[in-house]
Amino acid sequence: MQYDALAPMYDRLMFHVEYDEWVKLIRRVVLKYGASRKPGILELGAGTGIVGAALREYGYRYIATDLSPSMCKVARSVRGLPVCAADARQLPFKKRFDMALFLYDGINYMMTLEDYRKLFASVYDALEEGGLFLFDITTRENSVKYFSAYMDYEDYDDISFVRNSWFEFGKSVQHNDFTIFRQSPQNPGLYEKYVENHRQKVYSVSEIERSIPKKRFNVLGIWDGYTFKKYTSKSIRVHFLLEKI
């Protein structure tokens, strides 16, 4: 399962990520487009729950989901969040939410447009009428500019990793390959080796926009970065905001 080895070190690996920018954007979206100032929020691909913990501090009702049980375990044990391990394409909820989130390019793990169609159908069923769906993608510009051939590593006392990132131009697939050495819980003098290979499909904005079912969602915005400005060909992260009809 992806993230089994990464989950315990994920927060350290992503210490540089500007999670506060997402929290600011979500709050702006709620104020401008939301029907409730204290919405019930369902986060898909929530990871270790950093964004969710911040949203709960603002009084939002919140449930986290992630495909990885290991990530869910961290979100529950470290941040005390209500968590459900679930596939975003087949959400199990009977209750409905005011808003759904799929952030930090988690949606890029959808490898086919059929996956997107299943996702939109699943989210539609999970939302109240007029509910909002905010998600982001990283773009081909981001992969070409920063991750077409990139390697980094970190070494901590109990864990270390090497990450090799490369972009498969012909298929428009971003690869992030991790080799991880983690201290054995049973024998602290030994380190266990793990390998995780992550793939993300980088669809264009227009391809994703065409896959949105227009009879089910209004497209309220397609924005550059964390702003309400229209995206451009140079955007490295693009946010979509949909409204359930």
Side-chain angles (χ1 to χ4, degrees):
M1 176 68 71
Q2 285 189 336
Y3 289 103
D4 279 357
L6 278 176
M9 64 176 293
Y10 188 80
D11 288 352
R12 285 182 283 183
L13 176 63
M14 299 299 171
F15 73 93
H16 62 285
V17 175
E18 297 176 336
Y19 291 104
D20 58 323
E21 293 296 328
W22 270 299
V23 175
K24 290 176 186 176
L25 177 61
I26 293 163
R27 296 189 69 209
R28 290 176 64 204
V29 167
V30 168
L31 289 173
K32 185 170 183 178
Y33 297 100
S36 170
R37 294 294 179 263
K38 302 294 183 183
I41 294 178
L42 173 67
E43 186 175 5
L44 316 175
T48 61
I50 294 175
V51 169
L55 294 177
R56 278 162 60 98
E57 289 183 359
Y58 286 105
Y60 298 166
R61 291 167 287 124
Y62 174 89
I63 292 179
T65 70
D66 200 281
L67 186 60
S68 166
S70 297
M71 295 290 262
C72 291
K73 182 179 179 180
V74 176
R76 182 184 296 111
S77 61
V78 174
R79 297 193 165 85
L81 297 176
V83 178
C84 174
D87 187 330
R89 296 163 295 185
Q90 296 177 313
L91 293 169
F93 300 99
K94 292 184 178 180
K95 68 173 292 185
R96 292 188 172 181
F97 300 85
D98 302 305
M99 189 176 191
L101 308 172
F102 206 167
L103 305 176
Y104 200 14
D105 52 85
I107 204 169
N108 284 86
Y109 281 103
M110 301 288 157
M111 298 301 292
T112 69
L113 291 176
E114 179 61 23
D115 287 331
Y116 275 86
R117 284 186 279 271
K118 290 178 181 178
L119 170 69
F120 291 134
S122 180
V123 171
Y124 179 88
D125 290 340
L127 286 175
E128 297 280 6
E129 185 175 346
L132 303 174
F133 181 27
L134 178 69
F135 67 91
D136 74 324
I137 63 168
T138 55
T139 64
R140 189 178 178 93
E141 176 75 8
N142 180 66
S143 287
V144 171
K145 189 173 183 179
Y146 296 111
F147 296 107
S148 59
Y150 174 81
M151 180 174 287
D152 70 329
Y153 69 93
E154 291 288 348
D155 185 14
Y156 306 104
D157 289 340
D158 59 334
I159 197 165
S160 63
F161 75 90
V162 176
R163 173 172 53 186
N164 179 30
S165 299
W166 54 284
F167 187 57
E168 192 174 358
F169 284 83
K171 295 182 178 180
S172 196
V173 172
Q174 180 65 51
H175 295 258
N176 295 293
D177 300 333
F178 291 86
T179 302
I180 301 158
F181 297 91
R182 194 168 71 190
Q183 193 173 50
S184 170
Q186 289 76 31
N187 190 338
L190 296 178
Y191 283 77
E192 300 167 343
K193 179 182 177 181
Y194 302 86
V195 175
E196 290 191 9
N197 300 310
H198 296 251
R199 295 186 306 141
Q200 293 177 297
K201 177 70 174 179
V202 184
Y203 284 108
S204 68
V205 171
S206 60
E207 286 174 314
I208 294 173
E209 187 175 10
R210 285 195 299 269
S211 73
I212 297 169
K214 302 306 188 293
K215 292 183 179 181
R216 292 188 161 194
F217 290 102
N218 291 321
V219 180
L220 300 182
I222 306 177
W223 303 314
D224 174 67
Y226 305 95
T227 74
F228 286 167
K229 297 178 181 178
K230 182 177 172 60
Y231 75 96
T232 72
S233 61
K234 298 299 182 183
S235 297
I236 63 173
R237 184 177 301 280
V238 175
H239 282 88
F240 291 70
L241 181 64
L242 311 184
E243 178 188 43
K244 177 177 175 176
I245 298 173

